[in-house]
């Protein structure tokens, strides 16, 4: 049983560009959250999606946006990239009405130069 | 708002010794608490979780944690460290039914000395 799958694993972008990161949740999961983990820090909550809508949002600017598709997969988009956006982006999934505790993917390492 | 404080950004223990990683939380409502482990270049793996049932929670790989409301603590322990336990450990809190946002601590890097 595949867990949470994220693509790509690594990405290098130039400041000012736009990037899209993708996530396929664990089979049977319908809720997806995204986290940003800067080097040496704990993950920071970006937003959560279920039923194809953003349900909660952390303290991130509007440059960060997302989408959830009918098959529960999700995308994270970041516009006008800044050097400070360099981080590991983690996708996590769960069953909305299931037990607490997310399953995390291995992440996408984004480097902005 | 909830928060988590992990005391000690780096902890070193000898192989076979007790592992103790400290976590204190702040929450205005009963919290749900988690410990995650992160190996290099990997995502987070759930070790254990407290969800208001038993205060002593047993997890994977021989780890356990005890919820102490009076001390607002949720420390992670393992009786005997193995080399394979070397990793980054994160404590996290969420509050409220349906509010699944996880707030993480800054992490503790565990080093095992042969």
């Amino acid at each position: 049983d595949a867990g949470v799958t994220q693509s790509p694993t690594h990405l290098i972008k130039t400041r000012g560009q736009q990037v899209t990161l993708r996530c396929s949740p664990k089979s049977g999961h319908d809720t997806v959250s995204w986290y940003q983990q800067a080097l040496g820090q704990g993950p920071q909550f970006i937003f959560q999606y279920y039923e194809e809508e953003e349900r909660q949002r952390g303290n991130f600017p509007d440059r960060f946006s997302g989408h959830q598709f009918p098959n529960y997969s999700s995308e994270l988009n970041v516009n006008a990239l800044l050097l400070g956006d360099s981080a590991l982006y983690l996708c996590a999934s769960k069953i909305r009405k299931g037990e607490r505790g997310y399953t995390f993917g291995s992440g996408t390492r984004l480097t902005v130069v | 708002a909830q928060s988590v404080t992990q005391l000690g950004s780096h902890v070193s223990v000898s192989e076979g010794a007790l592992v103790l990683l400290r976590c204190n939380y702040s929450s205005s409502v009963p919290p749900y608490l988690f410990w995650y482990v992160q190996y290099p270049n990997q995502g987070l793996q759930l070790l254990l979780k407290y969800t208001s049932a038993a205060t002593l929670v047993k997890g994977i790989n021989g780890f356990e944690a005890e919820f102490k409301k009076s001390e607002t603590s949720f420390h992670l322990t393992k009786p005997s460290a193995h080399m394979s336990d070397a990793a980054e450990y994160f404590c996290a809190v969420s509050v409220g039914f349906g509010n699944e946002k996880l707030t993480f601590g800054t992490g503790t890097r565990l080093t095992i000395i042969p």
Side-chain angles (χ1 to χ4, degrees):
Chain A
D1 177 26
V4 178
T5 304
Q6 293 187 242
S7 63
T9 56
H10 295 82
L11 201 55
I12 300 175
K13 288 287 189 178
T14 302
R15 190 172 49 183
Q17 285 188 314
Q18 179 265 344
V19 68
T20 297
L21 310 182
R22 295 176 174 82
C23 172
S24 293
K26 183 177 180 179
S27 178
H29 287 188
D30 58 4
T31 299
V32 172
S33 291
W34 287 90
Y35 289 80
Q36 180 195 66
Q37 186 179 16
L39 198 62
Q41 300 295 316
Q44 299 289 318
F45 175 76
I46 303 175
F47 40 54
Q48 177 197 63
Y49 278 84
Y50 61 83
E51 296 180 350
E52 302 179 48
E53 290 191 18
E54 182 182 298
R55 300 295 178 172
Q56 288 190 78
R57 188 178 182 91
N59 188 25
F60 280 81
D62 292 344
R63 298 187 297 108
F64 289 77
S65 63
H67 191 77
Q68 186 180 35
F69 299 94
N71 67 353
Y72 308 119
S73 66
S74 177
E75 289 182 349
L76 164 65
N77 301 291
V78 187
N79 295 322
L81 284 167
L82 303 174
L83 297 179
D85 295 331
S86 295
L88 180 67
Y89 288 85
L90 296 166
C91 175
S93 72
K94 73 181 296 290
I95 300 171
R96 178 187 167 195
K97 295 183 178 179
E99 290 186 348
R100 291 181 176 268
Y102 278 89
T103 299
F104 280 80
S106 297
T108 294
R109 173 73 62 186
L110 172 65
T111 302
V112 182
V113 297
Chain B
Q2 65 272 22
S3 66
V4 164
T5 302
Q6 291 185 241
L7 300 176
S9 58
H10 292 85
V11 171
S12 296
V13 301
S14 297
E15 190 175 14
L18 171 72
V19 175
L20 171 61
L21 304 182
R22 300 178 185 274
C23 172
N24 287 89
Y25 69 91
S26 174
S27 174
S28 57
V29 297
Y32 298 90
L33 295 159
F34 307 82
W35 276 100
Y36 284 87
V37 61
Q38 185 175 37
Y39 297 100
N41 301 314
Q42 294 188 26
L44 302 173
Q45 181 182 7
L46 180 65
L47 280 176
L48 50 79
K49 59 186 176 185
Y50 167 75
T51 57
S52 75
T55 56
L56 181 62
V57 182
K58 295 186 182 297
I60 62 172
N61 302 338
F63 285 93
E64 64 180 37
E66 186 173 8
F67 173 71
K68 292 186 176 180
K69 183 178 179 180
S70 61
E71 300 177 7
T72 61
S73 68
F74 191 58
H75 302 331
L76 182 70
T77 61
K78 181 174 180 178
S80 177
H82 296 167
M83 295 301 295
S84 60
D85 295 328
E88 188 91 19
Y89 291 80
F90 292 95
C91 183
V93 61
S94 72
V95 297
F97 180 79
N99 183 345
E100 300 290 352
K101 165 189 168 183
L102 290 170
T103 300
F104 286 86
T106 53
T108 297
R109 181 167 299 279
L110 177 64
T111 300
I112 310 299
I113 303 167

